[in-house]
Amino acid sequence: NTDDILIFTSIGRVFKFPVHKIPLYTKGSNGIDIRILNKYISSNIVCAARVSTLETLAKSKKFKNFLFVVSRKGYIKKIDLDDIIAAIPSGIIFSKLDQGDYVKNIIFGPSKMDILVYAGPKVLRIPAKEVPYLKRSTKGNRVSTATTEIDGMNFAIPNATDLVIVTKLGFVNRIPITLVPTTTRGKAGTKVIKLAKATKSHPEDSILSIWPCCEQNNIVVNEGRSIKTVPVSEIKIGTTISSGVPMFTSPIRVSLQ
């Protein structure tokens, strides 16, 4: 209750907010819109992180950590954590955006790993050290030549053997991570799944999230207010042209355990 959190919004601003100002609710409640508690927050939330956690990452002597930002239109960059830890309640800019663009995803970590950026049915795997190191007031550089807009990004964690791809319509595909080679920024990427096309009953499918993992991991899926845990070992191994297996009912949220 004495912590502060940083709230990152889709328009490229980050706000510091004290936890004690968030009302305590029961687990079955909907909670309260953070934009009611802080009048300066006027757009969608990309993520939130504890200030103390980011301070620990910033002080790490083992390796230097960064904040990685990718926008819907395909601009990527990394910035110093110290540049955003000093955020104030009224907010500061962490990424400049073109008109019509917005922040799609942010992740925190070192430049020692590869980054997976996915758009449409393709994934571009690039070394994190190739992501341009820029200031808060910049928009970044183009990450790929993909014609579709960016759906998200994640780290390719060390020792991962597989990629689990989950789509918005609940299809799941599992492929060996070796099928997605490391390349350079500015490429189109590798196809990892065959997405369902739009019909009268549902819109065109897209990748919701991608998780580098091993057989010992579990995929945790939130379907509405219910939670399912699926061992990675129980997900059938497919190919890069597989449609995947329908396992969940949208809308869903997915995490790795």
Side-chain angles (χ1 to χ4, degrees):
N1 214 35
T2 58
D3 276 340
D4 290 331
I5 57 175
L6 292 180
I7 300 170
F8 299 83
T9 67
S10 59
I11 61 172
R13 293 185 67 85
V14 55
F15 304 81
K16 183 175 286 187
F17 193 79
V19 172
H20 74 265
K21 288 190 176 181
I22 304 173
L24 190 63
Y25 292 97
T26 60
K27 66 178 183 179
S29 66
N30 290 328
I32 187 171
D33 193 325
I34 195 73
R35 291 167 288 196
I36 295 174
L37 302 178
N38 185 328
K39 63 181 181 180
Y40 297 105
I41 301 175
S42 59
S43 59
N44 293 330
I45 308 302
V46 179
C47 83
R50 291 173 57 185
V51 171
S52 57
T53 299
L54 297 186
E55 286 176 340
T56 300
L57 288 176
K59 294 175 183 177
S60 173
K61 295 181 179 179
K62 188 174 181 180
F63 37 66
K64 186 173 177 60
N65 292 287
F66 301 91
L67 180 150
F68 295 82
V69 187
V70 70
S71 77
R72 182 68 166 153
K73 298 294 184 182
Y75 290 92
I76 194 169
K77 70 175 182 178
K78 63 188 175 192
I79 62 176
D80 273 329
L81 291 177
D82 290 332
D83 288 348
I84 52 96
I85 288 175
I88 56 178
S90 58
I92 60 173
I93 293 174
F94 70 87
S95 190
K96 182 180 179 182
L97 299 164
D98 289 337
Q99 186 172 0
D101 198 6
Y102 60 91
V103 175
K104 184 61 183 179
N105 201 198
I106 63 174
I107 53 178
F108 310 94
S111 288
K112 299 285 186 180
M113 296 183 285
D114 289 347
I115 287 183
L116 305 169
V117 181
Y118 45 99
K122 295 184 177 182
V123 174
L124 179 66
R125 180 177 179 179
I126 59 173
K129 63 183 180 182
E130 280 204 4
V131 176
Y133 175 42
L134 301 169
K135 295 296 185 181
R136 290 190 296 109
S137 57
T138 60
K139 67 180 181 181
N141 295 349
R142 290 287 302 178
V143 63
S144 74
T145 58
T147 56
T148 52
E149 295 179 320
I150 301 299
D151 291 313
M153 68 176 172
N154 204 350
F155 283 117
I157 58 176
N159 303 319
T161 58
D162 301 301
L163 282 184
V164 172
I165 301 103
V166 184
T167 76
K168 287 185 177 180
L169 295 181
F171 287 82
V172 180
N173 193 27
R174 175 186 168 198
I175 63 172
I177 196 170
T178 52
L179 294 181
V180 182
T182 302
T183 183
T184 57
R185 188 168 52 85
K187 305 293 184 180
T190 303
K191 187 174 181 179
V192 294
I193 193 170
K194 181 181 178 181
L195 294 172
K197 296 193 178 294
T199 66
K200 291 182 179 181
S201 60
H202 63 71
E204 186 174 8
D205 203 3
S206 61
I207 294 176
L208 174 68
S209 59
I210 288 180
W211 296 98
C213 55
C214 300
E215 281 201 346
Q216 295 78 16
N217 293 128
N218 298 317
I219 299 297
V220 181
V221 179
N222 295 72
E223 292 181 294
R225 293 189 177 181
S226 65
I227 298 177
K228 291 183 179 180
T229 301
V230 180
V232 170
S233 58
E234 294 184 4
I235 302 172
K236 180 181 177 182
I237 295 180
T239 67
T240 57
I241 57 173
S242 300
S243 300
V245 180
M247 296 184 67
F248 310 111
T249 303
S250 62
I252 56 177
R253 290 186 297 111
V254 185
S255 58
L256 186 69
Q257 185 181 69

